[in-house]
């Protein structure tokens, strides 16, 4: 005696993804799902030129995490701001130095961030000058970040 299994097909709908208040709460895309609540937690990567309509910012990628729903729209929070490696490579020329640094810092409202600094010099420099620049930049960013809230920092 064979038992037939019945499959339940869930109807899926398109839900609009909204940018955070920081970027004007405009529509940045759409996502397909059966309920908006199941979309919470997903991430979306978008080119900054599509949000700002400025081709000069096409080398920047923004990553958003869907945090909630309102009126069948999906609300997001900015989680990553990244410059494309090809844009950094284009800045490098002969007789220039690149300084990279990665460290953790906290904002005034207690959010811990991972900051990745990239500095490019105009001319060749000695290693002790480069390391001094790296230390000063890290101290400056940490001090400035400790005075700003997360939203102010992103601005």
């Amino acid at each position: 005696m064979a038992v037939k299994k019945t499959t339940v097909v869930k109807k899926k709908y398109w839900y609009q993804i909204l940018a955070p208040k920081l970027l004007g709460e405009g529509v940045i895309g759409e996502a397909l799902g059966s309920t908006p609540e199941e979309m919470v937690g997903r991430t979306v990567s978008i080119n900054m030129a599509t949000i700002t309509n400025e081709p000069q910012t096409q080398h920047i990628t923004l990553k958003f995490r869907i945090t909630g729903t309102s009126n069948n729209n999906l609300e997001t929070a900015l989680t990553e701001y990244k410059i494309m490696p090809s844009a950094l490579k284009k800045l490098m020329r002969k007789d220039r130095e690149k300084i990279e640094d990665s460290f953790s810092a906290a904002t005034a409202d207690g959010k811990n961030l991972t900051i990745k600094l990239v500095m490019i010099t105009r001319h060749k420099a000695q290693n002790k000058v480069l390391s001094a620049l790296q230390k000063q930049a890290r101290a400056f960013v940490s001090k400035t970040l400790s005075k700003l809230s997360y939203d102010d920092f992103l601005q």
Side-chain angles (χ1 to χ4, degrees):
M1 179 187 263
V3 179
K4 278 191 170 181
K5 292 184 180 180
T6 58
T7 57
V8 178
V9 177
K10 291 185 180 180
K11 182 130 174 102
K12 294 188 177 183
Y13 301 98
W14 287 100
Y15 298 102
Q16 291 186 339
I17 302 172
L18 303 178
K21 292 179 184 177
L22 173 71
L23 296 170
E25 294 183 327
V27 176
I28 57 174
E30 292 183 332
L32 184 65
S34 56
T35 63
E37 289 77 22
E38 80 175 14
M39 311 295 263
V40 174
R42 290 188 186 180
T43 58
V44 179
S45 294
I46 296 176
N47 191 311
M48 185 143 177
T50 60
I51 295 173
T52 61
N53 292 327
E54 294 177 12
Q56 297 90 350
T57 60
Q58 66 185 354
H59 64 282
I60 298 170
T61 303
L62 302 175
K63 188 179 271 189
F64 299 96
R65 179 174 301 279
I66 298 173
T67 58
T69 63
S70 67
N71 301 333
N72 282 338
N73 292 326
L74 305 171
E75 297 173 344
T76 59
L78 183 63
T79 59
E80 189 175 302
Y81 180 99
K82 187 176 182 180
I83 297 175
M84 302 289 276
S86 58
L88 291 175
K89 190 174 183 180
K90 192 174 182 181
L91 292 174
M92 287 302 296
R93 300 273 189 256
K94 185 179 176 184
D95 294 333
R96 290 187 179 184
E97 300 280 346
K98 182 165 75 169
I99 307 165
E100 295 179 303
D101 192 15
S102 177
F103 60 95
S104 296
T107 60
D109 52 357
K111 290 199 177 195
N112 290 324
L113 305 176
T114 300
I115 307 292
K116 296 185 179 184
L117 291 177
V118 176
M119 296 178 282
I120 298 173
T121 64
R122 288 183 161 178
H123 304 287
K124 285 276 189 189
Q126 295 176 347
N127 283 339
K128 65 181 180 179
V129 173
L130 296 176
S131 62
L133 273 172
Q134 183 180 4
K135 286 178 186 177
Q136 287 180 351
R138 181 185 283 208
F140 174 76
V141 171
S142 296
K143 182 179 175 185
T144 305
L145 192 59
S146 66
K147 295 177 185 177
L148 296 173
S149 70
Y150 180 68
D151 290 335
D152 292 337
F153 172 67
L154 292 177
Q155 284 271 329

